[in-house]
Amino acid sequence: MDDLRDKYLKAIAEAGDEAALEDLRVQAVGKKGEVALKMRELGKMTPEERQEMGPKLNALKDEINSALAAKKVALADAALDERLRGEWLDVTLPGRPRREGTIHPISQVTEEVTAIFADMGFAVAEGPQIESDWYNFDALNIPSHHPARAEMDTFYTHRAEGDDRPPHVLRTHTSPVQIRAMQAQGAPIRVIAPGRVYRADYDQTHTPMFHQVEGLAIDKDISMANLKWVLEEFVKAFFEVDEVELRFRASHFPFTEPSAEVDIRCSWEDGTLKIGEGDDWLEILGSGMVHPKVLEAGNIDPNEWQGFAFGMGIDRIAMLKYGIPDLRAFFDSDLRWLRHYGFAALDVPTLHGGLSR
């Protein structure tokens, strides 16, 4: 028994790796190992011999298993020490940066648009998102029979029975802000009105809530030529191109006369939009000269003043610039989408920091 003990304890102490240690375990305490074979011989012994040899064999088995476990730990520690000596790690280096949060593309583009128009002298005007139908429709020369005033297109607020206040709606555009700005500031005036708007529509290119920015400039000698220059400068700055060609197509909006849809020259190569080159055209906004009735609603004399207005979807131009395929993703995506399309806070251009992109 002592010879068996000395044999395996010495072999375990001299084992150089875990493979050799496993071989020793099988030879010593495996099902067909020497200790196991010794324990099978207990059946041939007398009760007195079994009483003496049984505890000794169990003690030997436990001692060998303990030696195997201790040697395995020692081999693992030696392997780790060797790895640490071979590898080098500077624990004083700063950790890899992880953004705590991201700026939503809508917020990013709103800041970009605001900064660009601020460089051209446009202030920012704001107004309520729940408007009376006078500000949302009547003041903008939208007649009572216009389809936009139907409940299938516009969200009307609930009114209790007996409430005789004027109807109110979730604003369908930021144009009411123009009326409020004219009433508050008079002429001359140069403002943009970014903000949320609401319409009863939902598909790949429409959502019930979206974002617009509208512009208004009124003075005594403003013309369509001024409108064209402002829009050209905006498109070049926003899409970061040196040259751009705009196409004005005659259209109809109740609040402007004459009115025009504005297209930009572009190309689609391998699914990538390129602004300012190619043979295709892409509609991006509506515009025109402010209708005299709208000026009157803003308490401005149309015989003395005139101006232009324009409006575009912030969500739409964000999709064009940053390659976002589905408008609905702005509102129903998870954090993975935001990490992909979002912007680090320090990269956001602002009126205070200027354009940094």
Side-chain angles (χ1 to χ4, degrees), residues 252-265:
H252 170 72
F253 304 115
F255 29 80
T256 53
E257 181 61 38
S259 303
E261 302 275 7
V262 180
D263 307 329
I264 53 175
R265 183 178 289 280

Side-chain angles (χ1 to χ4, degrees), residues 83-160:
R83 181 181 173 187
L84 291 175
R85 284 193 296 269
E87 294 181 358
W88 181 82
L89 175 66
D90 186 353
V91 296
T92 66
L93 288 174
R96 291 174 181 161
R98 286 190 67 182
R99 292 187 293 182
E100 294 297 324
T102 53
I103 302 298
H104 196 282
I106 294 300
S107 300
Q108 164 77 12
V109 170
T110 300
E111 287 282 357
E112 291 183 21
V113 170
T114 301
I116 292 169
F117 281 113
D119 285 341
M120 291 187 277
F122 284 80
V124 175
E126 296 180 329
Q129 296 181 38
I130 298 178
E131 277 287 11
S132 70
D133 67 345
W134 186 85
Y135 276 105
N136 198 78
F137 296 121
D138 296 320
L140 294 164
N141 196 37
I142 299 176
S144 59
H145 60 271
H146 195 280
R149 302 184 77 150
E151 291 190 0
M152 68 178 64
D153 290 329
T154 298
F155 294 106
Y156 282 83
T157 60
H158 174 73
R159 287 194 299 167

Side-chain angles (χ1 to χ4, degrees), residues 44-309:
K44 301 176 182 179
M45 298 180 184
T46 64
E48 292 78 11
E49 290 175 329
R50 284 199 299 270
Q51 190 174 4
E52 179 184 357
M53 293 299 297
K56 291 183 178 180
L57 286 172
N58 283 327
L60 175 61
K61 182 179 178 181
D62 291 342
E63 189 173 3
I64 291 175
N65 280 328
S66 296
L68 287 167
K71 184 63 177 181
K72 186 174 182 179
V73 172
L75 288 173
D77 290 343
L80 179 59
D81 290 340
E82 182 64 25
R83 181 181 173 187
L84 291 175
R85 284 193 296 269
E87 294 181 358
W88 181 82
L89 175 66
D90 186 353
V91 296
T92 66
L93 288 174
R96 291 174 181 161
R98 286 190 67 182
R99 292 187 293 182
E100 294 297 324
T102 53
I103 302 298
H104 196 282
I106 294 300
S107 300
Q108 164 77 12
V109 170
T110 300
E111 287 282 357
E112 291 183 21
V113 170
T114 301
I116 292 169
F117 281 113
D119 285 341
M120 291 187 277
F122 284 80
V124 175
E126 296 180 329
Q129 296 181 38
I130 298 178
E131 277 287 11
S132 70
D133 67 345
W134 186 85
Y135 276 105
N136 198 78
F137 296 121
D138 296 320
L140 294 164
N141 196 37
I142 299 176
S144 59
H145 60 271
H146 195 280
R149 302 184 77 150
E151 291 190 0
M152 68 178 64
D153 290 329
T154 298
F155 294 106
Y156 282 83
T157 60
H158 174 73
R159 287 194 299 167
E161 185 176 352
D163 187 347
D164 57 357
R165 291 177 300 172
H168 281 68
V169 301
L170 298 183
R171 66 183 183 189
T172 59
H173 42 195
T174 57
S175 300
V177 179
Q178 298 181 16
I179 302 297
R180 292 180 177 275
M182 285 188 284
Q183 290 177 339
Q185 301 178 35
I189 188 173
R190 196 181 308 183
V191 295
I192 60 168
R196 287 191 191 94
V197 297
Y198 306 85
R199 295 180 191 175
D201 207 351
Y202 187 71
D203 57 34
Q204 187 172 0
T205 57
H206 300 86
T207 53
M209 185 273 288
F210 56 103
H211 302 80
Q212 277 189 342
V213 58
E214 301 195 13
L216 173 71
I218 296 174
D219 212 319
K220 293 189 174 181
D221 298 315
I222 284 182
S223 68
M224 289 286 287
N226 302 117
L227 169 64
K228 182 174 183 292
W229 179 86
V230 166
L231 296 180
E232 285 178 346
E233 292 301 304
F234 167 75
V235 171
K236 286 191 287 186
F238 181 74
F239 289 105
E240 301 176 24
V241 294
D242 295 328
E243 296 296 332
V244 67
E245 183 178 351
L246 299 185
R247 181 176 68 178
F248 285 71
R249 290 181 291 105
S251 185
H252 170 72
F253 304 115
F255 29 80
T256 53
E257 181 61 38
S259 303
E261 302 275 7
V262 180
D263 307 329
I264 53 175
R265 183 178 289 280
C266 66
S267 68
W268 295 91
E269 294 182 7
D270 300 323
T272 300
L273 173 65
K274 294 185 177 180
I275 301 295
E277 59 182 68
D279 298 322
D280 294 326
W281 295 91
L282 180 66
E283 177 188 329
I284 59 167
L285 58 90
S287 64
M289 299 299 291
V290 181
H291 197 286
K293 290 186 177 180
V294 175
L295 292 174
E296 289 177 351
N299 298 330
I300 293 177
D301 185 356
N303 296 314
E304 183 178 359
W305 305 92
Q306 62 188 34
F308 64 75

